[in-house]
Amino acid sequence: MQDRAEMAALEFAPTAGRDPHGVTRRRPITTPVFDAYWHFAAERQRIFHRRVRGEPAPWTNDPVLAAHRFTNAYRAADRVSQYLIRHVAYDGDQAVDEVVFRVLLFKLFNKVSTWELLTEAFGTRPSARDFSVDEYDAVLTRAFSRGERIYSAAYIMPAASPGVPRKHLTHLRLLRTMLGEGLPERIAACTSMRAGYEALLGYRGIGPFLAYQLITDLNYTTVLDLSEMEFVMPGPGARSGIRKCFANPGDYDEAGLIQLVADCQEQEFAKRGIVFWDLWGRALQLIDCQNLFCEVDKYARVVHPDAQGTGGRSRIKQRFEASPDPVEMWFPPKWGLNERLPAKPVRQPHRSTAFAGRQRVLPLPVP
């Protein structure tokens, strides 16, 4: 473990020491893992752009990123989020109750194969209008009996109520309760991410981190159009990554540190001479910075093995295996990104518009 004297007290932007009311705060003290955070974000995003452009592997010289599986810098660009946006949220009836039902059903299991299993079983995409707990339970129970996994391993989904033999039945009943209590309409009426988060948090089995993930997914849809920079709820992995990045948080809680990082991203990339190739003009949002702390927690297990997080884990479990399928992107139309996506492979990705003129442009290697 490094001594405090070895910790790097890297300053944020000049305004970072004041809260929105102008009250001075003690600045956080960062560790070398905080430098790795920005390197990781930029290099992971370069890998993303190179794959979207159709370049052949290898996509990075970073041995840890080349060997292990990490999520994208932008949550909406990940495989499951892309499937949800394209095939769940925007494919089908856009009535509020139908969109909210489809997104919640998908996310309670968070597994593409489970969604496709239900779609195949009923011959059409799942619908709130025809939703039957008994019929859905029968399909999922048969799959479970065949040894199929119906939940994603991305995060733990606790049962929504005790004493029920199958966890999936508790989630189907939870969804029925949500529909019966008018949750879709209440979500549509929300004017902030926090309000939507609190509406979801009121249900048994929906904890703080899951509620935040769900409102983020619902905000991708036509039902909501809220700022992702308004509210954040760190999960367990992000909390561990934050602990590795900060020797002393100063006067900031974990959510405040994520907000600070998101607000100061331009300066932090620039002071390190890093060119960040953003998401076609979209800067990192709070949800993305939160996810990056989670991924850096894993990355630091190899790059900074002495850094102490909260879980005591020392290795990265998942190895990276490249898919032969082309990487195709499609984002919520309200973001205005789809018109900017390359129609065919190009030699250079879109340079960050947020940071233009502030950084030294480093040429990307051309294969």
Side-chain angles (χ1 to χ4, degrees):
M1 183 70 178
Q2 293 162 307
D3 295 330
R4 176 62 62 86
E6 295 176 315
M7 298 296 184
L10 304 175
E11 292 187 353
F12 284 94
T15 59
R18 295 182 180 274
D19 69 11
H21 304 289
V23 178
T24 300
R25 294 186 181 185
R26 288 184 301 123
R27 296 175 183 271
I29 298 174
T30 64
T31 75
V33 181
F34 189 63
D35 276 324
Y37 179 97
W38 301 104
H39 163 77
F40 176 90
E43 189 62 18
R44 184 64 186 86
Q45 186 66 359
R46 290 190 193 104
I47 293 170
F48 167 78
H49 274 293
R50 287 165 178 154
R51 294 191 68 192
V52 170
R53 283 151 45 197
E55 294 185 13
W59 299 294
T60 181
N61 293 322
D62 184 313
V64 180
L65 280 163
H68 298 90
R69 182 180 176 184
F70 295 94
T71 64
N72 281 304
Y74 287 84
R75 180 183 185 273
D78 273 334
R79 182 184 66 87
V80 175
S81 293
Q82 278 289 299
Y83 187 94
L84 177 141
I85 293 167
R86 186 190 293 258
H87 300 292
V88 178
Y90 285 87
D91 184 13
D93 189 341
Q94 292 301 295
V96 168
D97 59 339
E98 291 293 340
V99 173
V100 173
F101 167 79
R102 291 199 303 269
V103 170
L104 292 179
L105 174 64
F106 180 86
K107 288 301 294 184
L108 286 171
F109 299 94
N110 203 35
K111 197 170 181 65
V112 170
S113 61
T114 300
W115 177 264
E116 293 181 343
L117 171 70
L118 292 169
T119 300
E120 182 179 356
F122 298 114
T124 185
R125 70 179 63 84
S127 169
R129 184 170 47 254
D130 304 320
F131 178 53
S132 165
V133 168
D134 291 340
E135 292 178 4
Y136 280 54
D137 173 42
V139 172
L140 295 176
T141 296
R142 288 195 296 269
F144 183 85
S145 299
R146 294 192 297 266
E148 298 179 18
R149 291 186 176 183
I150 59 177
Y151 286 92
S152 166
Y155 44 80
I156 298 173
M157 279 294 301
S161 56
V164 179
R166 291 284 179 259
K167 182 169 69 172
H168 69 257
L169 181 55
T170 72
H171 292 135
L172 295 175
R173 290 174 176 173
L174 172 64
L175 189 53
R176 180 176 61 189
T177 297
M178 290 173 163
L179 293 174
E181 294 181 353
L183 178 66
E185 290 74 18
R186 288 191 286 123
I187 290 290
C190 290
T191 57
S192 69
M193 290 280 283
R194 181 180 288 277
Y197 161 85
E198 290 174 350
L200 290 159
L201 192 60
Y203 288 92
R204 172 175 280 186
I206 306 296
F209 182 61
L210 180 56
Y212 178 55
Q213 296 296 310
L214 293 178
I215 194 59
T216 298
D217 287 303
L218 289 167
N219 196 39
Y220 292 155
T221 73
T222 56
V223 173
L224 296 171
D225 190 9
L226 307 173
S227 171
E228 289 189 341
M229 292 296 287
E230 174 247 322
F231 171 73
V232 66
M233 177 55 64
R239 294 179 191 276
S240 184
I242 288 170
R243 181 171 176 178
K244 290 180 180 180
C245 285
F246 296 97
N248 188 321
D251 289 332
Y252 294 84
D253 61 12
E254 290 159 327
L257 289 169
I258 296 172
Q259 181 77 63
L260 189 59
V261 163
D263 289 344
C264 298
Q265 59 186 277
E266 178 179 350
Q267 295 94 323
E268 294 302 310
F269 281 124
K271 72 167 59 173
R272 293 167 177 80
I274 296 174
V275 175
F276 181 64
W277 302 95
D278 63 13
L279 197 68
W280 292 282
R282 184 179 177 86
L284 293 167
Q285 305 293 296
L286 289 175
I287 184 67
D288 307 314
C289 294
Q290 191 275 157
N291 282 9
L292 283 167
F293 274 115
C294 182
E295 296 306 290
V296 167
D297 174 61
K298 295 186 290 186
Y299 183 73
R301 295 172 196 170
V302 176
V303 178
H304 294 284
D306 292 335
Q308 296 298 307
T310 60
R313 297 178 180 177
S314 60
R315 64 186 183 90
I316 306 171
K317 292 182 179 180
Q318 292 183 309
R319 305 287 294 183
F320 173 71
E321 295 182 7
S323 169
D325 299 328
V327 179
E328 297 180 355
M329 292 286 115
W330 195 81
F331 297 97
K334 58 192 171 186
W335 290 2
L337 301 185
N338 296 324
E339 297 78 8
R340 306 178 191 180
L341 303 181
K344 57 183 178 180
V346 294
R347 295 189 66 82
Q348 290 285 350
H350 186 281
R351 186 184 175 199
S352 171
T353 55
F355 311 148
R358 300 268 189 116
Q359 301 178 90
R360 181 166 50 97
V361 177
L362 303 178
L364 294 176
V366 177

